[in-house]
Amino acid sequence: MAKQKKTPRPKAETPKGFRDYFGADVTERADMLGKIAGVYHRYGFDALETSAVETVEALGKFLPDVDRPNEGVFAWQDEDEAWMALRYDMTAPLARVYAQHRNDLPSPYRRYTFGPVWRNEKPGPGRFRQFYQCDADTVGTASMAADAEICAMLADALEEVGIQRGDYVVRINNRKVLNGVLETMGLSDEGQRADVLRTIDKFDKVGESGVRELLGKGRLDASGAYIDGVGLEDAQAEPVIAFLTSRADDTSATLANLRSAIGNSEIGAKGVDELSEIAALLDAAGYGPDRIVIDPSVVRGLGYYTGPVYEAELTFEIKDEKGRPRQFGSVAGGGRYDDLVKRFTGQEVPATGVSIGVDRLLAALRMQRGAQAQAQGPVVVTVMDRDRMADYQAMVAELRGAGIRAEVYLGNPKNFGNQLKYADKRGSPVAVIEGGDEKDKGVVQIKDLILGAKIAETASLEEWKDLPSQFEVPRERLVAKVRDILRSQQQDDGGDGHHVHGPGCGC
Amino acid sequence: MAKQKKTPRPKAETPKGFRDYFGADVTERADMLGKIAGVYHRYGFDALETSAVETVEALGKFLPDVDRPNEGVFAWQDEDEAWMALRYDMTAPLARVYAQHRNDLPSPYRRYTFGPVWRNEKPGPGRFRQFYQCDADTVGTASMAADAEICAMLADALEEVGIQRGDYVVRINNRKVLNGVLETMGLSDEGQRADVLRTIDKFDKVGESGVRELLGKGRLDASGAYIDGVGLEDAQAEPVIAFLTSRADDTSATLANLRSAIGNSEIGAKGVDELSEIAALLDAAGYGPDRIVIDPSVVRGLGYYTGPVYEAELTFEIKDEKGRPRQFGSVAGGGRYDDLVKRFTGQEVPATGVSIGVDRLLAALRMQRGAQAQAQGPVVVTVMDRDRMADYQAMVAELRGAGIRAEVYLGNPKNFGNQLKYADKRGSPVAVIEGGDEKDKGVVQIKDLILGAKIAETASLEEWKDLPSQFEVPRERLVAKVRDILRSQQQDDGGDGHHVHGPGCGC
């Protein structure tokens, strides 16, 4: 025998931080995104799918002034030595597209997009280096109607995918109001302003009294460590507290509170005007505070955006990892930003947009549905006689013709137990059996696997046939009987995790 | 003024060979893939979405024995120096997934997948470095029922997306039959066998007489160059010719011709048996030769696959670039291959699968529909009075509630001509106008833009209002009238490219 150099076998693994999506993980996400896209389309937003790869130059944040610009992005050099990278979000590509095609695009340009983005970060539990984003932005208008529209569209999208009214709220704040507050406080020191911003960001966690302490002398945190404060006097800190706690029972009271928090600041007044314009538009369109509210305690993104800031929160209760009840929390966020295209063209172009956290929203929908997953395996037609494959294929064709998902077992049919194990692994609701006896009598056996699953793995064929969950019907009643069983299974939604949930089982 | 270092502005461009997809290019593809996925799901195939990034080791063809393994793929090194790359097809990731999860996956494992793949190749006109693939494979069974099923599923999928029966055909051949032919010829020389295979690959182009010449002494090609032949005697070449031309009027005659072409070869007989098993299964399932045929002239892929090979062709006529009629041609291909997982596990796992050329199929659907694109821009509600934005938003909300795509103009409303230009760029079918006069009278103006588009860019507002394509209706009849106009536009399908087709116009 000739000697052959042995190369070690490659490892069958994704790179670290990457993962695969099986069955319902793919289809449920696609279904959800399709519904969102339908709403966005109806609002006049156009689909856009940019290339996954951009020049590092266009991505911008990561300039090739180092040997390898791989901080945060996956980047490599083309043959002509130009650096390319995978997109890390959907906003940088939008800026590039708008700058590149601005003469052909309508102005304002409303676009939505969804797809994977990539981050070259240290992977961790639940933290992946590829994940989905779903964005909608309006580029080229400073009108508050654009911000109001996106908030209304976001509410509509949440309801479209199945979040009930009352189980979510879109909250709106404005960066300019905060700027007005800072102006009123007379903070001239840049470092102190930054400290105040950082403190405001902690409002979600530490609440009013915590922020008060952190703006003043400091605070003992939960771990017992002492956190130094910004060092403001109580009176000086007051406008920040007034701002954060200005939400009242109705919008006009909230706006009045904000007006007093910003004192004589011009920029602050502009911010309150913007909020009241948005509130009026939403009110006229019938989006009341049960769906969308002006809420100055929204602090996420205040540092990044330049005007209105908005966030969608799911308000229904879930249990945290320790079993304590808490609200599900944020599933989308966005706001107004003005420097989108400037890097490319030198021109300032106002823009506003929202990004939905695809994985979080999908997780929320699954929690609401409960353990019972929507997706179902196919009806499996077993093979009792290898030579009658054509008969079995005729059965699945009939079932599919009636809109029922169905397949013939295509493994080695010798061991019937393997066929049942296969059906179990597939999450099949129903198995169909037609052996020689049945063929002679003109009947088929139809097995309700949801009822019979508990003992399926141990029973012999004969025991299995005797179970009450198995029905003998004339061959021509195959489709009708299968449909009956599927219907009764759907009515009985007391799912109890009866079958093995493997990555391929479609559950 | 402080000096500021000027950095040159980045170019707003995709990297070479990449492109963006706008509007209908995105939604029509998504719609087509959704329909195909629906058929595949009904056949019991499970969705799979692998990560876009694989280890170079797992991709296999591109081993990191060179400094930079970038031949054909986009690859880069992770921090820990491991090479990663973007997937170049869907089969290599399937092999990795099957090897990685084989204990959890059902066996056989039917899966479908679609998404972008990336090739590090020289871009050219119409040749991109990122494009879509849509694959379905069955892994873990040698049964011909799996191949038959995929051919039937492919036919169903083509009809589902809108290809009429009679406008396509799925053709099936078998590599083993060809192996039998080569055995019968007694070709022992490896080089000569390879030459014969290469010649067979040219059958599509040069036909029977061309193959005959190329197997013998050689041939003058169209450019006048003389191509050396393989150098076989006429009698020796005969089995190849018999194989390639064995398609007869009906399947049994074709199979008889093949049996005579392969002489006493055992492997050849196995191949003919496989084809006749597939033919019998498809016949029993009602897929006649109007949809699926055994056709030994299918040669693409014969070199790569190990058993059945299949191809879907669209048979309707189109004009080539010189205006000559020709068939649209191939839109999908596949076959059986057995070494899928062996690289990882050492075990041979039989598999068969098909790949649809997503861009080609989408192009075919568009040609069939004709110039008139399906997608339509939104109804545009113009802004005559900036302070009544809430009224205009109420209009679009009503329209959307009736399922009509609609938006308010959000640019600067001062210049009404700009609003009309915008509507034109959006491909809007209808514009709505409500100025102060209309408001006082309780009416709105509704403009049929398809009728009126030709002069829209030059007319003044007053001229424009006088056109017969404009209607004044009571405010409460807004939705009803818009719906009427949209309906009449759809009935009148004599589209004449009336508006500017920009990347964002949604056409």
Side-chain angles (χ1 to χ4, degrees):
Chain A
M1 232 173 108
K3 271 187 197 169
Q4 220 178 344
K5 199 185 157 193
K6 249 194 170 173
T7 43
R9 285 185 193 146
K11 281 198 197 104
E13 285 173 5
T14 55
K16 264 178 247 153
F18 291 88
R19 57 163 296 195
D20 305 309
Y21 296 85
F22 293 87
D25 285 344
V26 180
T27 53
E28 287 179 11
R29 183 180 57 206
D31 183 51
M32 184 183 87
L33 290 172
K35 284 174 179 163
I36 294 170
V39 173
Y40 288 4
H41 180 81
R42 213 151 63 232
Y43 269 79
F45 284 66
D46 273 342
L48 171 67
E49 186 176 317
T50 60
S51 60
V53 180
E54 295 276 348
T55 67
V56 163
E57 189 191 356
L59 285 183
K61 246 160 104 182
F62 310 90
L63 293 170
D65 52 5
V66 288
D67 186 41
R68 187 172 177 75
N70 60 356
E71 289 175 65
V73 294
F74 293 108
W76 64 90
Q77 254 172 317
D78 203 0
E79 266 103 80
D80 60 3
E81 311 222 314
W83 281 97
M84 302 197 269
L86 290 172
R87 65 178 175 223
Y88 60 87
D89 74 0
M90 296 302 198
T91 308
L94 173 62
R96 194 263 305 153
V97 164
Y98 191 82
Q100 183 174 353
H101 298 284
R102 63 191 184 282
N103 295 327
D104 299 319
L105 292 169
S107 177
Y109 176 48
R110 292 173 172 99
R111 85 91 178 79
Y112 71 88
T113 192
F114 50 79
V117 300
W118 294 266
R119 301 271 170 93
N120 192 359
E121 288 167 353
K122 233 186 159 56
R127 282 189 62 198
F128 294 99
R129 307 210 280 181
Q130 173 179 335
F131 55 92
Y132 264 69
Q133 288 196 339
C134 174
D135 285 23
D137 294 81
T138 299
V139 183
T141 177
S143 168
M144 285 302 114
D147 301 81
E149 176 179 86
I150 283 180
C151 290
M153 185 168 81
L154 180 57
D156 284 7
L158 290 175
E159 293 189 17
E160 183 79 18
V161 301
I163 305 291
Q164 302 288 316
R165 198 171 296 183
D167 277 346
Y168 71 90
V169 64
V170 178
R171 308 191 297 150
I172 309 177
N173 197 358
N174 193 310
R175 171 64 202 250
K176 291 192 179 114
V177 179
L178 174 61
N179 284 353
V181 169
L182 296 176
E183 210 174 272
T184 295
M185 293 166 72
L187 284 191
S188 53
D189 181 69
E190 265 305 319
Q192 240 182 356
R193 285 178 81 116
D195 285 347
V196 171
L197 271 175
R198 253 194 303 280
T199 304
I200 285 175
D201 249 355
K202 294 185 185 144
F203 180 65
D204 276 348
K205 277 189 196 158
V206 302
E208 180 185 339
S209 65
V211 166
R212 212 179 273 277
E213 288 171 337
L214 286 170
L215 288 175
K217 291 195 182 124
R219 176 172 191 271
L220 265 180
D221 77 3
S223 70
Y226 193 82
I227 312 293
D228 281 338
V230 182
L232 302 182
E233 298 297 320
D234 277 3
Q236 211 181 4
E238 206 44 56
V240 174
I241 303 297
F243 167 68
L244 289 173
T245 61
S246 54
R247 181 168 167 191
D249 283 345
D250 63 75
T251 305
S252 58
T254 302
L255 292 170
N257 288 342
L258 284 179
R259 276 203 203 281
S260 87
I262 50 128
N264 293 320
S265 161
E266 217 170 286
I267 183 79
K270 176 99 173 75
V272 180
D273 287 346
E274 287 183 359
L275 283 177
S276 83
E277 191 179 343
I278 291 174
L281 285 168
L282 289 170
D283 188 53
Y287 291 83
D290 57 327
R291 288 192 274 175
I292 308 181
V293 292
I294 303 297
D295 185 347
S297 71
V298 176
V299 292
R300 289 198 337 162
L302 273 187
Y304 174 69
Y305 294 109
T306 56
V309 173
Y310 30 89
E311 186 175 62
E313 257 189 81
L314 302 190
T315 52
F316 61 83
E317 233 172 48
I318 57 165
K319 299 265 192 276
D320 70 7
E321 59 285 1
K322 287 181 182 164
R324 291 168 302 201
R326 63 169 182 86
Q327 291 197 341
F328 187 88
S330 174
V331 291
R336 182 164 280 281
Y337 50 101
D338 291 322
D339 54 354
L340 183 70
V341 190
K342 203 175 176 186
R343 282 184 52 243
F344 293 103
T345 66
Q347 234 180 332
E348 239 180 43
V349 176
T352 187
V354 70
S355 185
I356 290 178
V358 174
D359 292 328
R360 275 187 64 78
L361 181 56
L362 189 56
L365 291 174
R366 288 179 165 183
M367 278 183 189
Q368 282 212 317
R369 265 207 308 272
Q372 183 77 336
Q374 231 176 2
Q376 199 171 43
V379 171
V380 169
V381 172
T382 59
V383 174
M384 303 300 288
D385 180 351
R386 173 169 255 175
D387 291 335
R388 291 203 297 107
M389 187 57 94
D391 291 349
Y392 304 129
Q393 288 211 315
M395 291 184 195
V396 289
E398 276 172 44
L399 289 164
R400 286 175 199 145
I404 296 166
R405 191 181 189 205
E407 58 173 49
V408 174
Y409 179 68
L410 284 185
N412 186 338
K414 265 189 196 160
N415 180 336
F416 188 73
N418 279 349
Q419 299 201 43
L420 294 187
K421 275 182 205 158
Y422 173 83
D424 191 53
K425 210 163 203 171
R426 297 291 286 124
S428 302
V430 168
V432 177
I433 307 158
E434 188 199 53
D437 291 352
E438 284 85 7
K439 176 75 178 168
D440 291 343
K441 283 167 64 187
V443 300
V444 288
Q445 304 285 343
I446 300 180
K447 173 77 186 159
D448 182 336
L449 293 176
I450 306 290
L451 275 176
K454 278 165 196 153
I455 50 163
E457 287 202 314
T458 54
S460 70
L461 172 57
E462 288 316 309
E463 286 167 353
W464 195 76
K465 275 189 175 182
D466 288 338
L467 291 175
S469 56
Q470 181 159 335
F471 310 92
E472 183 177 295
V473 300
R475 169 66 181 81
E476 63 271 19
R477 290 211 59 239
L478 168 68
V479 171
K481 185 66 192 174
V482 169
R483 196 188 274 128
D484 282 352
I485 294 177
L486 293 177
R487 211 170 278 152
S488 73
Q489 288 173 352
Q490 272 161 10
Q491 279 157 6
D492 174 27
D493 58 4
D496 54 5
H498 56 279
H499 51 66
V500 183
H501 292 262
C505 84
C507 305
Chain B
M1 230 174 111
K3 270 187 199 170
Q4 217 176 348
K5 200 186 156 193
K6 247 194 171 171
T7 42
R9 285 183 192 147
K11 281 199 197 102
E13 286 174 3
T14 55
K16 265 177 246 155
F18 290 89
R19 56 164 296 191
D20 305 310
Y21 295 85
F22 292 87
D25 285 345
V26 180
T27 53
E28 287 179 10
R29 183 180 58 206
D31 182 53
M32 184 183 86
L33 290 172
K35 285 175 179 164
I36 294 170
V39 172
Y40 289 3
H41 181 81
R42 213 150 65 231
Y43 269 79
F45 284 66
D46 273 343
L48 171 67
E49 185 176 317
T50 59
S51 61
V53 180
E54 296 277 347
T55 67
V56 163
E57 191 191 354
L59 285 184
K61 248 160 102 182
F62 310 88
L63 294 170
D65 51 6
V66 287
D67 184 43
R68 187 174 178 76
N70 60 356
E71 290 175 64
V73 295
F74 292 108
W76 64 90
Q77 254 173 318
D78 203 359
E79 265 104 80
D80 59 4
E81 310 222 316
W83 281 98
M84 301 198 269
L86 290 172
R87 66 179 174 224
Y88 59 88
D89 74 0
M90 297 300 198
T91 309
L94 173 61
R96 194 264 306 153
V97 164
Y98 191 83
Q100 183 173 354
H101 299 283
R102 62 191 183 282
N103 295 328
D104 299 318
L105 292 170
S107 177
Y109 176 47
R110 292 172 172 101
R111 86 89 180 79
Y112 72 87
T113 193
F114 51 80
V117 299
W118 294 266
R119 302 271 170 92
N120 191 358
E121 288 167 352
K122 232 185 161 56
R127 283 189 61 199
F128 294 99
R129 307 210 280 181
Q130 172 179 335
F131 54 93
Y132 264 70
Q133 288 197 337
C134 173
D135 284 22
D137 294 81
T138 300
V139 182
T141 176
S143 168
M144 285 302 113
D147 303 81
E149 176 178 86
I150 283 180
C151 291
M153 185 168 81
L154 181 57
D156 285 6
L158 291 175
E159 293 188 17
E160 185 79 18
V161 300
I163 305 291
Q164 302 289 315
R165 198 169 297 180
D167 277 347
Y168 72 90
V169 64
V170 178
R171 308 191 298 151
I172 309 177
N173 197 359
N174 193 309
R175 170 63 200 251
K176 289 189 180 119
V177 179
L178 174 61
N179 284 352
V181 168
L182 296 176
E183 210 173 275
T184 295
M185 291 166 72
L187 286 189
S188 53
D189 181 69
E190 266 303 321
Q192 242 182 355
R193 283 176 82 117
D195 285 346
V196 170
L197 271 174
R198 254 194 302 280
T199 305
I200 284 173
D201 249 355
K202 293 183 184 148
F203 180 64
D204 277 348
K205 277 189 195 161
V206 303
E208 180 185 338
S209 65
V211 166
R212 212 179 272 277
E213 288 172 336
L214 287 169
L215 288 175
K217 294 197 180 121
R219 178 173 189 269
L220 266 180
D221 77 2
S223 69
Y226 193 83
I227 312 293
D228 281 339
V230 181
L232 302 182
E233 297 298 318
D234 277 4
Q236 211 181 2
E238 205 45 54
V240 175
I241 303 298
F243 167 68
L244 289 174
T245 61
S246 55
R247 182 166 168 195
D249 284 345
D250 65 74
T251 305
S252 58
T254 302
L255 292 169
N257 288 342
L258 285 178
R259 275 202 204 284
S260 88
I262 51 122
N264 294 319
S265 160
E266 219 169 284
I267 184 78
K270 177 98 172 72
V272 180
D273 287 348
E274 288 183 359
L275 283 178
S276 83
E277 193 178 341
I278 291 173
L281 285 167
L282 289 171
D283 188 51
Y287 291 83
D290 57 328
R291 288 192 275 175
I292 308 180
V293 292
I294 304 298
D295 185 347
S297 70
V298 176
V299 292
R300 289 195 343 162
L302 273 186
Y304 174 69
Y305 294 109
T306 57
V309 173
Y310 30 89
E311 186 175 63
E313 257 187 80
L314 302 189
T315 53
F316 61 82
E317 234 171 48
I318 55 164
K319 299 267 192 278
D320 70 8
E321 58 286 359
K322 287 181 182 164
R324 290 168 303 200
R326 63 169 184 85
Q327 291 198 340
F328 187 88
S330 174
V331 291
R336 182 165 279 281
Y337 50 100
D338 292 321
D339 53 354
L340 184 70
V341 189
K342 203 176 175 185
R343 284 183 51 242
F344 294 102
T345 66
Q347 234 182 332
E348 240 178 42
V349 176
T352 187
V354 70
S355 185
I356 289 178
V358 173
D359 292 329
R360 275 188 65 76
L361 182 56
L362 189 56
L365 291 173
R366 288 179 164 183
M367 278 183 191
Q368 282 211 318
R369 264 207 308 273
Q372 183 77 336
Q374 232 176 359
Q376 202 171 41
V379 170
V380 169
V381 173
T382 58
V383 174
M384 302 300 288
D385 180 351
R386 173 168 256 174
D387 290 336
R388 292 203 296 105
M389 187 58 94
D391 290 349
Y392 304 129
Q393 287 210 317
M395 291 185 196
V396 289
E398 276 173 44
L399 289 164
R400 286 174 200 144
I404 296 168
R405 191 180 190 205
E407 58 175 48
V408 174
Y409 179 69
L410 285 185
N412 186 335
K414 264 190 197 160
N415 181 337
F416 188 72
N418 279 349
Q419 300 202 43
L420 294 186
K421 275 182 204 159
Y422 172 83
D424 190 53
K425 212 162 200 172
R426 298 287 288 125
S428 302
V430 168
V432 177
I433 307 158
E434 189 198 53
D437 291 352
E438 283 86 7
K439 177 74 179 169
D440 291 344
K441 284 165 67 185
V443 299
V444 288
Q445 303 286 342
I446 301 180
K447 173 75 186 158
D448 182 336
L449 294 176
I450 307 290
L451 275 177
K454 278 165 195 153
I455 50 163
E457 288 203 314
T458 54
S460 71
L461 172 57
E462 288 315 310
E463 285 167 354
W464 194 76
K465 274 189 173 181
D466 287 339
L467 291 175
S469 54
Q470 182 160 332
F471 309 92
E472 184 178 294
V473 299
R475 169 65 182 82
E476 64 270 21
R477 290 211 58 237
L478 167 70
V479 170
K481 185 65 192 174
V482 169
R483 196 189 274 129
D484 282 351
I485 294 176
L486 292 177
R487 209 170 280 151
S488 72
Q489 287 173 353
Q490 272 162 10
Q491 279 158 5
D492 173 28
D493 58 4
D496 53 5
H498 55 280
H499 51 65
V500 183
H501 292 262
C505 82
C507 306

